[in-house]
Amino acid sequence: MPAPERYAVIGHPISHSLSPRIHTLFAAQTGRALRYEAIDVLPEQLAMAVRAFFAGGGRGLNVTLPHKQAVLGLLSRCSEAASHARAVNTLWSDAEGALVGDNTDGIGLVRDLQQNLGVPVAARRLLLLGAGGAARGVLGPLLALAPRELVIANRDVARAEVLAAVAHDAGSIPVRAIALSALGQDTPPGQSGTAGFDLILNATSTSLSNELPPLSPRLFGPGAVCYDLAYALHETSFVRWARHHGASAAHDGLGMLVEQAAEAFHLWHGVRPDTAPVLAALRSQTQ
Ligand code: NAP
């Protein structure tokens, strides 16, 4: 019997990763024999580790913190999504042996919001907290859903301004950048406010250290929904804050994780797994 195809996720740290479990469940569901492992790779080992993986017959790699941007420099080509995000989370080697990359984070978020959670985005006022790699990756797919307005708030406002400029160049939806510290404050008459949002997405990494950015319940519009891109075994700090301060619903990013993995699985295997039972299996372990 041939050895199972090899796949892996690389990052640092990586022991917490749920990707091996998710891809193993997808493989069982779709009848594929594969081995998917988590490999701890330090930044200075990145190029060597990626080349060694594919030279050794590896078929596909997922890439997570802190390598999503750096790995772009190793590719022969990448998708439009990866190019816009300036970050890659899925790699494979094409028939000529050239290294190709894509970014499935944006589509993962959109599928979770739309298909799993039924959260409307079109014509809504959106607040995106954070301007790092994840924010950049979800920006284009969110704008493609035609929100009424998008405000990007970041601790370092210059990074939010860069993202807002990228969005301006790409379309007609109003996108503004502000400092996190200016959120929820009174707005001069005639200006669009920094309060009363319909959907607030936390793309800062604060939940990973059980912290919160400075936030006010004034951010909530009627029926506001909150979404934390981070996920944890317990309620994340942002989800807890949202539930305690009157959001109508608050979700973590576990669904996004499963959906971005399903898209990577589809890129590698040409088969789209059913995400619902996999998400349910993970949820039963995390609540
Ligand atoms: P990143 O590139 O390191 O960016 C971190 C962001 O968090 C920056 O905007 C940073 O602001 C902000 N931040 C960090 N500490 C802060 C603090 N104490 N107060 C306020 N803002 C703070 O990280 P990333 O790759 O974008 O990841 C962000 C989050 O998305 C993480 O929680 C990650 O787990 C999650 N994520 C989830 C999925 C999924 O599938 N569910 C996929 C990708 C990412 P400054 O620019 O001012 O430093």
Side-chain angles (χ1 to χ4, degrees):
M1 213 166 75
E5 294 178 348
R6 258 188 88 208
Y7 296 84
V9 57
I10 55 170
H12 179 75
I14 199 65
S15 56
H16 65 285
S17 175
L18 295 174
S19 293
R21 179 142 170 71
I22 294 171
H23 280 269
T24 303
L25 288 169
F26 286 163
Q29 187 195 96
T30 57
R32 308 209 148 232
L34 61 80
R35 185 154 66 92
Y36 188 112
E37 58 201 309
I39 307 176
D40 200 312
V41 174
L42 292 168
E44 58 271 25
Q45 301 168 329
L46 178 65
M48 200 181 64
V50 169
R51 290 192 186 111
F53 180 81
F54 286 104
R59 301 296 292 267
L61 274 183
N62 284 132
V63 182
T64 188
L65 285 173
H67 304 310
K68 285 185 178 183
Q69 281 89 30
V71 86
L72 261 176
L74 306 177
L75 303 182
S76 296
R77 62 178 196 281
C78 70
S79 67
E80 205 177 317
S83 167
H84 282 156
R86 290 198 213 148
V88 165
N89 74 347
T90 305
L91 295 184
W92 64 96
S93 176
D94 73 8
E96 284 75 47
L99 206 53
V100 187
D102 202 344
N103 188 319
T104 65
D105 282 341
I107 197 160
L109 172 66
V110 163
R111 289 218 177 108
D112 194 35
L113 286 174
Q114 299 226 289
Q115 293 173 17
N116 299 338
L117 302 170
V119 175
V121 176
R124 301 304 203 273
R125 293 192 69 223
L126 266 53
L127 172 62
L128 180 62
L129 305 168
R136 187 180 270 276
V138 301
L139 184 62
L142 279 176
L143 290 173
L145 299 179
R148 174 146 54 99
E149 179 191 18
L150 174 65
V151 174
I152 305 171
N154 198 43
R155 183 175 58 178
D156 174 354
V157 71
R159 292 184 84 190
E161 283 164 354
V162 169
L163 279 200
V166 169
H168 274 306
D169 291 347
S172 57
I173 292 156
V175 179
R176 288 183 298 136
I178 65 166
L180 258 182
S181 53
L183 264 184
Q185 294 177 2
D186 286 335
T187 311
Q191 279 188 28
S192 181
T194 61
F197 294 96
D198 301 307
L199 174 59
I200 303 171
L201 300 129
N202 180 27
T204 74
S205 50
T206 48
S207 287
L208 299 180
S209 47
N210 211 18
E211 293 172 288
L212 267 181
L215 298 171
S216 152
R218 293 194 59 221
L219 297 176
F220 300 150
V225 174
C226 289
Y227 189 101
D228 196 348
L229 273 65
Y231 51 88
L233 289 176
H234 45 80
E235 206 175 42
T236 70
S237 43
F238 179 72
V239 166
R240 195 178 320 121
W241 172 83
R243 287 180 180 152
H244 287 174
H245 289 87
S248 76
H251 308 284
D252 72 12
L254 190 64
M256 171 179 172
L257 179 79
V258 172
E259 294 297 338
Q260 65 75 30
E263 187 62 20
F265 195 89
H266 180 248
L267 286 167
W268 290 333
H269 305 286
V271 178
R272 201 174 291 286
D274 182 2
T275 51
V278 174
L279 186 52
L282 294 178
R283 279 275 178 236
S284 69
Q285 293 176 341
T286 58
Q287 308 259 302

